Amino acid sequence: MDEKHLFLLSGFDVELSFGEVKAVLSLLHPNHRIIKREGRVLIVETLSNVAEEVVERTAYTKLSARLLFETMTDERDILSSVDASLIRDLIPPNSTIVVRGLTINGASVRKTNLERNIGSLIIDNLPSLKVNLRKPDYTIVFISSPEKTYIGILGKTKPRRCFYYRVAGRRPFILPSAMQPDLSRCLVNLSRTKIGGRILDPFAGTGGIMIEAALLGYEVYGIELKKWIAMGALRNLRYYIPSLENIVVGDARKLMFRKCFNSIVTDPPYGRSTTIPDYSLINLLEIFFSESQECLEDDGTVTLVTPQEINVEDIASDMGYTLQESYKVRIHRSLIRKIMVFR
Ligand SMILES: C[S@@+](CC[C@H](N)C(=O)[O-])C[C@H]1O[C@@H](n2cnc3c(N)ncnc32)[C@H](O)[C@@H]1O
């Protein structure tokens, strides 16, 4: 396998985006090989269909492209790197093409000029190809950072407003504590739950994690302490996925399931906009981690978000869990959260 694919990671949090892609690749194509990451650009040896599915499943990958050339970000170097024979092998004769450029981190190339010049170069060498600006069969894409430029055949792009209709404030039932769908999806992916596996969210709130997990094809169940919130979550679940109703009113400190989940993906209360009943968050997490072992299958994972000051690592380790990965993510200006995956 020597197909190299490029992924453009979201600028929201590059480490988290990278972690998410690695998790999804490990599920879809365990034999993939990560070649390198340079800033937001990740190069991986994998297959075209896998690369496209990675863009579909992840929250924080902007696009994939079959990598053709890479060079320094200098207009002359870029043009001299374009080798028509490689394009001839990958794009059938008589196809239509367009060249589109993207600059990241303030790269200073004359994008429109380069698009035109790369296009002319390709057509001069491969005259059976035609340019079609509106509906081309193939899009040649170049991505320029201040240092490097990568040129490839565009695979999949993430639609700009793909989370728009599920944004927390647009759901039928809204609470200030609700997590946004992109982060919810990313958590589900980080859990590395086998495709089609079973996931539990024991602090389900408005159901945001459940919705993303179900859209990714998982069998998902939720528990919520407060009946009125669980009823609201049910409205949300049915609104996006009419058959999704697996939420119960219950307590994450007394889980009623035994050895039946591949993973737990959750966002416990943190005392600002959700109240923590009876105990402190630390007590709640201690009891939750001890209970969670009972309901997870062997090798199950727990993926959760907490305030950065809580030492969840020690609580989980006392219960026999091992930290797999962790990220500090700035949710907005004054709010930093810790995301952790335990096995
Ligand atoms: C941070 S919110 C979850 C937000 C959720 N991710 C969403 O998108 O709406 C935490 C939720 O846990 C619930 N909760 C608190 N203690 C609980 C417990 N012991 N068992 C189950 N749910 C609990 C709270 O009522 C709250 O709705």
Side-chain angles (χ1 to χ4, degrees):
M1 176 182 59
D2 57 0
E3 272 183 44
K4 287 183 190 158
H5 291 267
L6 166 161
F7 296 97
L8 179 63
L9 305 175
S10 156
F12 161 66
D13 185 305
V14 182
E15 291 304 325
L16 183 67
S17 312
F18 182 34
E20 189 192 23
V21 174
K22 280 193 288 187
V24 174
L25 277 167
S26 76
L27 293 175
L28 297 179
H29 186 203
N31 292 334
H32 74 276
R33 194 165 71 88
I34 293 190
I35 296 174
K36 61 179 170 183
R37 178 170 76 86
E38 289 172 333
R40 288 175 59 193
V41 174
L42 172 66
I43 312 287
V44 182
E45 229 173 62
T46 186
L47 306 165
S48 297
N49 62 321
V50 173
E52 294 190 9
E53 204 176 334
V54 166
V55 178
E56 270 170 28
R57 291 184 78 89
T58 53
Y60 296 128
T61 314
K62 298 282 183 197
L63 59 82
S64 69
R66 171 91 185 250
L67 183 66
L68 298 173
F69 324 108
E70 55 178 284
T71 177
M72 303 314 289
T73 295
D74 169 272
E75 293 188 16
R76 264 187 304 186
D77 285 356
I78 295 172
L79 287 172
S80 60
S81 77
V82 176
D83 172 1
S85 63
L86 195 47
I87 296 176
R88 184 189 296 118
D89 292 344
L90 294 170
I91 297 188
N94 304 316
S95 303
T96 56
I97 62 159
V98 71
V99 180
R100 295 278 178 233
L102 266 172
T103 53
I104 53 174
N105 305 338
S108 63
V109 290
R110 292 172 302 163
K111 207 166 64 132
T112 322
N113 255 18
L114 258 180
E115 287 174 348
R116 197 178 320 112
N117 292 341
I118 295 175
S120 307
L121 196 70
I122 296 173
I123 301 289
D124 288 350
N125 282 283
L126 303 170
S128 88
L129 299 183
K130 298 274 170 295
V131 171
N132 182 333
L133 298 177
R134 291 169 114 227
K135 258 190 129 189
D137 300 323
Y138 294 89
T139 298
I140 309 280
V141 64
F142 68 86
I143 299 174
S144 294
S145 75
E147 300 80 30
K148 295 281 291 279
T149 291
Y150 310 83
I151 306 178
I153 302 174
L154 187 65
K156 191 113 201 148
T157 46
K158 193 121 199 119
R160 203 174 272 257
R161 301 195 340 153
C162 60
F163 291 110
Y164 182 83
Y165 293 104
R166 302 197 301 282
V167 161
R170 282 196 189 91
R171 298 177 194 150
F173 175 68
I174 300 170
L175 281 182
S177 57
M179 183 184 278
Q180 293 300 349
D182 51 353
L183 188 58
S184 303
R185 175 169 288 235
C186 176
L187 293 185
V188 175
N189 282 326
L190 288 175
S191 74
R192 298 186 186 219
T193 311
K194 68 175 186 194
I195 304 290
R198 200 177 288 142
I199 294 180
L200 173 69
D201 179 355
F203 299 98
T206 62
I209 291 174
M210 292 182 69
I211 292 167
E212 294 310 310
L215 291 173
L216 287 170
Y218 290 111
E219 187 184 336
V220 62
Y221 294 79
I223 298 175
E224 167 55 50
L225 189 68
K226 295 176 187 155
K227 186 174 175 190
W228 67 275
I229 298 182
M231 295 309 288
L234 189 58
R235 274 175 64 203
N236 285 347
L237 302 179
R238 285 179 175 151
Y239 182 77
Y240 293 103
I241 304 157
S243 59
L244 183 60
E245 302 187 324
N246 304 341
I247 185 157
V248 293
V249 178
D251 192 332
R253 294 166 297 179
K254 294 186 200 108
L255 296 175
M256 61 289 257
F257 304 103
R258 290 292 169 265
K259 299 270 176 220
C260 55
F261 288 98
N262 301 108
S263 68
I264 291 177
V265 182
T266 198
D267 171 24
Y270 39 84
R272 258 195 202 177
S273 45
T274 47
T275 48
I276 299 168
D278 309 342
Y279 302 94
S280 74
L281 177 54
I282 290 175
N283 275 333
L284 178 67
L285 289 176
E286 279 171 355
I287 302 173
F288 156 67
F289 266 106
S290 114
E291 277 286 296
S292 66
Q293 289 166 321
E294 291 300 313
C295 70
L296 281 176
E297 284 186 358
D298 295 343
D299 215 29
T301 57
V302 177
T303 303
L304 79 172
V305 190
T306 63
Q308 58 166 344
E309 58 278 6
I310 303 279
N311 188 350
V312 186
E313 293 86 335
D314 283 355
I315 299 174
S317 143
D318 287 349
M319 300 295 162
Y321 283 98
T322 312
L323 181 67
Q324 305 293 304
E325 49 197 298
S326 81
Y327 306 89
K328 278 204 178 121
V329 177
R330 188 173 289 279
I331 307 286
H332 53 72
R333 234 154 58 123
S334 62
L335 187 65
I336 296 179
R337 288 262 175 271
K338 212 161 45 169
I339 296 176
M340 284 154 293
V341 183
F342 295 96
R343 195 178 284 280

